[in-house]
Amino acid sequence: MAHPEKPLLKVGIVSDIQALPSEHDWGFFNFRNALRIFREKGIDLLIDAGDLAEGGNPETYDLYWRLIAEYFPENPPAHMACEGNHDCNGKSPFREAFARVCRGLRRECVNPEHEVIGTFDFITFATCDRIHYAESELPALERELEKAAARDPRKPIFVITHLPPAQTVTGSHDAAGSAGLRRVFDKFPQVISLSGHTHVPLGDERTVWQGEFTAVETSTLAYGCFTEEHCFNTVNGILPFAREVTEALYMELFPDRVELHRYNTTENRELGPVWIIDTPYKAASARYTPARSAQAQPPGFAPDAAILLRYDYGYAYLIFDRSATGDPALFYDVEIAHADRATGKYEAPQVYRYVSDFYRLECNRHDRICLKLPGTLRENTSCRFRVYAVEAFGKRSRPLEMTSLLWPGYKFKDGAPVYPQE
């Protein structure tokens, strides 16, 4: 009987715990769940991609280390971590805040920080002001990458930053993405970038990207976000029931590949297939380039899928059966077209994108989707609704469609969400 291949290194990865110094804190509660998974896996290294402690409170870091010792009392894993904007917020100048964070993380106050762990290179790199990487400090990062590449030109080099390199993973296409990091990483195909900050759920297949190098988003143990899509049912990018996004990564390093397992830590549930990054890296054979969108399968509704309109205390809702075939629906596009009362012809539709419930706990995902509609509906008017399921790369299903005379005299309220969304 063949024995399974043993990894050279086993790594647990968390980000954006955003904890307060209390054992009852939500982020620390989820960190405990992550530690249970990592203890079961027997990790050799724990990585934190920033935003561990609100305001850089030293008591929060103390509790973080106590929790690690509780779950790994005899052989604690090695540790690598970078700062995040929440760690360094407050009134202190950034350099003072960064030094305080480094003390809390029990690491040297240098930038970049470079360690060799289990024959692999790990580098952390810090911002200069919580949200930007200094052009004057990028050459130092490049020198450390050159050292790592010279030490072993075949192995991956892991770079841990809080913000992602620009135009790579979901969340890196707006102000959060760093053009400076992208410029440096483009020179080093061995780089595997591990970043936080964006809080994007790992069920979005775009949270791994390959081009000149590899980039991976690490999600969050606090709350989930989707900023780039400007979905109607988000508030400042924060998802409905965002606290159900309690996610972490488990990584195994082999001589010829890196394997990344995505977990919802609340349910100890793997999210989708394992991501496999072949090493040494060859862009021509990489799995997660933008070209993979050509293989994406549009979602589809079942032939007998229902679509309903509900009125409730001034609001209107569309209720419909979720998509049943193809790739998972990350979004639902809702087209609303009113008929002109004089001609009966439908006006140009208004289109609203809603994020789906793909990231929610299994126990809270139901067979039917319920979307609260905007307040632009006109009473006593014929209205055509079309709903399209949309997968991660934008391919849409055939629509579910219904036409209804909107309730005469009904005073429609705006269904745009407000805090809280839970």
Side-chain angles (χ1 to χ4, degrees):
M1 181 178 177
H3 293 285
E5 186 179 3
K6 185 177 179 180
L8 300 174
L9 197 72
K10 294 186 281 187
V11 185
I13 305 169
V14 298
S15 187
D16 294 82
I17 300 172
Q18 296 187 3
L20 297 171
S22 167
E23 292 194 16
H24 304 287
D25 177 79
W26 176 250
F28 273 148
F29 174 80
N30 297 315
F31 181 53
R32 282 180 176 274
N33 290 333
L35 288 174
R36 288 190 188 97
I37 295 170
F38 297 157
R39 179 176 61 187
E40 180 182 318
K41 301 295 185 183
I43 63 168
D44 307 296
L45 169 65
L46 176 63
I47 289 174
D48 188 295
D51 275 4
L52 193 166
E54 287 289 348
N57 190 323
E59 295 179 15
T60 304
Y61 297 108
D62 289 343
L63 179 53
Y64 172 79
W65 289 107
R66 289 203 302 272
L67 291 175
I68 294 172
E70 178 183 330
Y71 285 86
F72 296 90
E74 295 182 359
N75 296 301
H79 190 266
M80 292 289 289
C82 66
E83 95 305 344
N85 51 300
H86 283 255
D87 293 297
C88 295
N89 64 13
K91 297 181 180 179
S92 301
F94 179 80
R95 292 300 169 195
E96 291 180 19
F98 178 62
R100 182 175 64 244
V101 171
C102 289
R103 288 193 296 272
L105 293 172
R106 301 181 183 178
R107 51 159 284 186
E108 190 177 356
C109 186
V110 295
N111 189 42
E113 178 195 32
H114 186 172
E115 300 285 346
V116 178
I117 301 171
T119 75
F120 292 90
D121 288 82
F122 293 85
I123 299 170
T124 69
F125 190 62
T127 62
C128 61
D129 60 359
R130 300 173 59 236
I131 55 174
H132 300 100
Y133 294 98
E135 288 291 330
S136 61
E137 295 176 348
L138 288 171
L141 173 60
E142 190 165 341
R143 286 193 294 272
E144 295 304 314
L145 288 167
E146 289 170 347
K147 291 178 188 176
R151 195 187 69 81
D152 193 325
R154 296 177 61 84
K155 283 184 178 174
I157 304 167
F158 298 92
V159 184
I160 305 152
T161 60
H162 189 56
L163 303 178
Q167 307 297 314
T168 56
V169 293
T170 307
S172 69
H173 302 273
D174 55 19
S178 168
L181 289 181
R182 176 66 189 267
R183 223 170 34 246
V184 172
F185 293 168
D186 276 350
K187 303 175 185 179
F188 298 91
Q190 292 169 257
V191 162
I192 296 180
S193 162
L194 302 172
S195 63
H197 187 66
T198 65
H199 294 230
V200 176
L202 295 171
D204 179 354
E205 293 296 330
R206 300 169 301 171
T207 50
V208 62
W209 172 94
Q210 290 183 299
E212 292 80 3
F213 58 97
T214 299
V216 178
E217 166 63 46
T218 60
S219 196
T220 176
L221 288 171
Y223 59 90
C225 296
F226 245 38
T227 58
E228 293 177 348
E229 303 286 346
H230 305 290
C231 295
F232 182 74
N233 57 338
T234 62
V235 181
N236 293 332
I238 297 176
L239 296 166
F241 304 99
R243 300 291 175 182
E244 295 182 26
V245 181
T246 56
E247 298 180 354
L249 288 164
Y250 167 65
M251 180 169 68
E252 293 184 332
L253 309 186
F254 296 92
D256 62 347
R257 69 192 185 279
V258 174
E259 295 188 0
L260 284 153
H261 300 254
R262 300 166 277 170
Y263 278 90
N264 180 294
T265 63
T266 301
E267 297 178 319
N268 192 5
R269 172 173 57 92
E270 278 209 58
L271 307 170
V274 178
W275 290 335
I276 299 174
I277 300 163
D278 294 323
T279 57
Y281 179 64
K282 296 177 181 177
S285 58
R287 293 175 172 86
Y288 308 110
T289 67
R292 63 186 153 148
S293 62
Q295 279 71 53
Q297 298 298 309
F301 293 105
D304 60 349
I307 179 169
L308 309 166
L309 180 63
R310 188 183 98 200
Y311 300 92
D312 198 352
Y313 293 95
Y315 295 104
Y317 300 80
L318 272 187
I319 302 171
F320 53 91
D321 294 334
R322 67 169 60 251
S323 62
T325 62
D327 287 341
L330 265 62
F331 311 101
Y332 290 102
D333 285 348
V334 177
E335 288 186 359
I336 301 173
H338 293 88
D340 184 278
R341 292 183 182 178
T343 66
K345 293 182 179 180
Y346 284 102
E347 301 169 358
Q350 298 169 301
V351 182
Y352 299 86
R353 173 156 288 188
Y354 291 76
V355 66
S356 77
D357 61 353
F358 75 96
Y359 55 87
R360 294 195 63 188
L361 300 178
E362 290 272 275
C363 61
N364 293 330
R365 298 180 74 242
H366 306 296
D367 291 339
R368 284 188 172 164
I369 303 293
C370 181
L371 302 180
K372 188 184 286 187
L373 296 173
T376 54
L377 299 179
R378 301 180 216 150
E379 55 88 20
N380 198 30
T381 303
S382 179
C383 189
R384 184 186 67 209
F385 298 94
R386 288 177 176 163
V387 178
Y388 300 82
V390 187
E391 56 81 43
F393 298 99
K395 291 185 178 178
R396 302 206 305 180
S397 69
R398 294 177 180 272
L400 282 179
E401 183 172 329
M402 67 168 290
T403 301
S404 178
L405 179 68
L406 298 179
W407 192 351
Y410 196 74
K411 304 298 182 185
F412 289 99
K413 297 179 181 178
D414 189 11
V418 293
Y419 291 116
Q421 291 214 75
E422 332 198 19

